[in-house]
Amino acid sequence: MEKLRETWGSNIGFILAATGSAIGLGNIWKFPYITGDYGGGAFVLVYLACVLMIGLPLMVAELIIGRRAQKNPVKAFEKNHRAKSPWQLTGWLGMASGFIILSFYSVIAGWAMAYIFKSIRGFAGTSEQIQQQFVDLVLSPSGSIMWHTIFMVLVIGIVAGGIKGGIERWSKILMPALFMLLLGLMLHGLFNTTGGIAALNFLFAPDFSRLTAEAVLSALGHAFFTLSLGMGAMITYGSYMKKGSGIVKDAIIISFLDTFIALMAGVAIFSLVFHYGMEPGQSVGLIFKTLPVLFADTGPWVSVPFFILLTFAALTSGISLLEVVVVYFIDEKGWSRVKITLLAGGLVYIFGLLSAIATLTIPFRGSDQTFLDVFDFMTTNYMLPLGGLFTCLFIGWVMKEDDMAEEFGSRGMLLKLLRLALRYLTPIGIAMVLLHGLELLPFMDY
Ligand code: TRP
């Protein structure tokens, strides 16, 4: 006999958990720095268009697949098609992606935690000395491993608590806290610094002369990562939804909140950057190298909330990554949640040691790179787009239209539009990201 499957306690609980999955390092660490690198407003506009045209349809698709099947991503494809359906490979790919992403995500999240404590002590010294602290942390295996360990223990602890008692409960605490912290930091940036107006200009006044094809493709790829798409995380969270709530409305809320938080983070960060007359294009080092130099002046009142915020965001994303790996074994093998969470989390932890030890490198794409960079590149550029591509092709061309319509809730124009998007627009967009990742786009110089 099948055990009764857990569901979310409330729809708002689901929305907070799914938003928690979406909002993560992608919003607060990655979005600001790529926006800085690609020159601001025009990139932001393209990114918003990608969220709307590619991200939103795909999120609706994943939630429909999940709720329809009430199963883990592997089984969900079978249930919506037929036994032994080859499409279930999409689910396996997703589990592999989740496993790999979490292994390095945890290392970066660990740095964020380390920086809470560095902030409490305060940043002092020359700009070079402050930036060097980050290099020291990354290159010290013991430091990175210690924080990676702590982060994985937290993730495992929450996921072991289950859907209502673990993921939903913690999302309900962490997400509002995150919002309040970020609101405070944004208001600080807007009104307590002289950089507020410059930040708004940089983010919202598009200068299309700075827009490159490379930027467009990065915007598309990022829309994917930031909404937690392409690996079954939303299929999984959708599978715990009760029938009846509006999937489209929920997907719009989740995508909106995710985007809104990224923009808020952008305002908070660039206000400081412009206040101190820095250049916005600071690349990967924006959060961990440039900001601490500015934090030396603002003091712990700004920096401590900032890194707590980053940690909370990473935590609610980390749990969704582990949940995708765990749920398969609960559904299909009947293992106890605590047992499989410990086992899967433990394996992710061990695998993550490769990323935590930055002195280990492997040759990749013509140079020696850290495992963290290689895993990040492989998942973001190949594995997630591939998973997303299969997902929209599946729902657009394979799944029965009636099944889709029933979950969708109505049969009007909106459903037709969605189907059209999932059949053509979304797959073509994703295929371009994928080809770009493989350096195979004919009109680009590689
Ligand atoms: N969306 C998260 C972020 O922006 C990361 C993340 C969590 C993710 N779960 C995911 C990315 C699933 C892709 C797939 O940081």
Side-chain angles (χ1 to χ4, degrees):
M1 204 189 81
E2 263 188 77
K3 265 192 295 182
L4 206 57
R5 209 158 181 273
E6 266 197 280
T7 57
W8 302 106
S10 64
N11 199 48
I12 183 83
F14 155 70
I15 289 186
L16 287 175
T19 310
S21 166
I23 297 172
L25 298 171
N27 301 61
I28 295 157
W29 168 65
K30 204 165 187 182
F31 173 75
Y33 94 68
I34 55 180
T35 300
D37 286 352
Y38 289 123
F43 173 80
V44 173
L45 210 61
V46 174
Y47 161 74
L48 294 178
C50 292
V51 167
L52 207 65
M53 287 177 355
I54 312 280
L56 193 58
L58 192 55
M59 182 175 303
V60 173
E62 287 204 17
L63 291 176
I64 287 181
I65 292 174
R67 192 174 69 176
R68 182 83 199 158
Q70 308 267 305
K71 285 285 176 202
N72 59 85
V74 174
K75 256 285 157 13
F77 283 93
E78 274 199 318
K79 249 194 126 171
N80 286 318
H81 185 209
R82 58 173 164 78
K84 304 245 154 51
S85 165
W87 292 91
Q88 65 171 294
L89 286 176
T90 316
W92 287 109
L93 178 69
M95 279 171 71
S97 309
F99 187 94
I100 300 175
I101 295 178
L102 183 56
S103 77
F104 71 80
Y105 203 84
S106 166
V107 175
I108 306 173
W111 297 337
M113 287 199 291
Y115 266 75
I116 299 176
F117 295 91
K118 286 188 188 292
S119 300
I120 294 174
R121 266 181 263 124
F123 296 103
T126 65
S127 148
E128 284 72 34
Q129 284 167 336
I130 295 175
Q131 302 200 28
Q132 186 61 33
Q133 286 194 12
F134 181 61
V135 180
D136 292 343
L137 173 66
V138 171
L139 288 181
S140 114
S142 58
S144 284
I145 289 175
M146 180 180 87
W147 293 108
H148 165 61
T149 310
I150 297 174
F151 186 79
M152 280 308 299
V153 167
L154 292 174
V155 169
I156 291 170
I158 296 177
V159 173
I163 302 306
K164 274 201 217 60
I167 297 177
E168 183 170 352
R169 182 167 103 206
W170 282 97
S171 302
K172 276 177 153 167
I173 300 170
L174 295 174
M175 294 313 289
L178 174 147
F179 186 80
M180 294 315 290
L181 289 170
L182 188 54
L183 188 67
L185 290 170
M186 184 183 75
L187 293 176
H188 170 79
L190 281 178
F191 300 112
N192 287 351
T193 74
T194 56
I197 301 294
L200 291 177
N201 258 323
F202 179 70
L203 287 168
F204 298 112
D207 172 2
F208 286 99
S209 65
R210 307 185 63 170
L211 198 64
T212 56
E214 168 84 34
V216 174
L217 289 162
S218 300
L220 197 53
H222 184 65
F224 234 88
F225 185 84
T226 189
L227 293 173
S228 298
L229 298 172
M231 58 146 274
M234 291 296 161
I235 296 183
T236 305
Y237 276 20
S239 76
Y240 301 125
M241 279 172 101
K242 297 198 177 99
K243 301 272 175 184
S245 64
I247 280 186
V248 179
K249 187 189 82 220
D250 290 354
I252 292 176
I253 297 176
I254 298 162
S255 313
F256 172 80
L257 287 174
D258 181 73
T259 308
F260 192 65
I261 295 283
L263 294 173
M264 280 173 80
V267 173
I269 291 168
F270 286 117
S271 302
L272 287 176
V273 168
F274 290 122
H275 179 78
Y276 289 101
M278 304 280 289
E279 278 299 311
Q282 301 285 335
S283 282
V284 217
L286 179 64
I287 297 293
F288 291 114
K289 290 169 110 177
T290 311
L291 279 190
V293 174
L294 314 183
F295 287 150
D297 280 328
T298 63
W301 301 113
V302 181
S303 54
V304 174
F306 181 82
F307 287 110
I308 293 180
L309 164 85
L310 193 59
T311 303
F312 284 1
L315 202 52
T316 49
S317 299
I319 57 185
S320 77
L321 291 161
L322 186 55
E323 179 65 18
V324 173
V325 181
V326 160
V327 60
Y328 173 80
F329 294 93
I330 299 178
D331 281 355
E332 303 312 316
K333 309 282 171 213
W335 292 12
S336 90
R337 173 173 282 273
V338 174
K339 190 172 105 187
I340 177 62
T341 305
L342 278 171
L343 183 68
L347 289 174
V348 171
Y349 168 73
I350 293 169
F351 193 67
L353 294 175
L354 285 174
S355 296
I357 305 173
T359 41
L360 280 181
T361 56
I362 44 169
F364 183 68
R365 290 164 40 92
S367 64
D368 278 338
Q369 302 204 21
T370 60
F371 279 91
L372 194 157
D373 288 338
V374 174
F375 291 149
D376 185 10
F377 188 90
M378 271 177 26
T379 48
T380 309
N381 292 298
Y382 305 145
M383 296 175 74
L384 293 179
L386 205 60
L389 184 63
F390 290 150
T391 305
C392 58
L393 290 176
F394 176 79
I395 198 165
W397 298 92
V398 180
M399 196 170 152
K400 281 206 236 37
E401 194 168 350
D402 285 346
D403 287 356
M404 183 180 168
E406 205 171 297
E407 291 302 322
F408 190 79
S410 74
R411 277 181 181 277
M413 265 306 276
L414 209 59
L415 180 67
K416 284 221 172 57
L417 262 171
L418 176 73
R419 227 176 139 73
L420 221 57
L422 287 169
R423 285 192 147 187
Y424 303 102
L425 186 68
T426 321
I428 292 173
I430 299 172
M432 292 194 23
V433 176
L434 206 55
L435 288 175
H436 175 62
L438 294 166
E439 307 199 338
L440 287 176
L441 271 186
F443 50 83
M444 300 278 292
D445 292 328
Y446 293 109

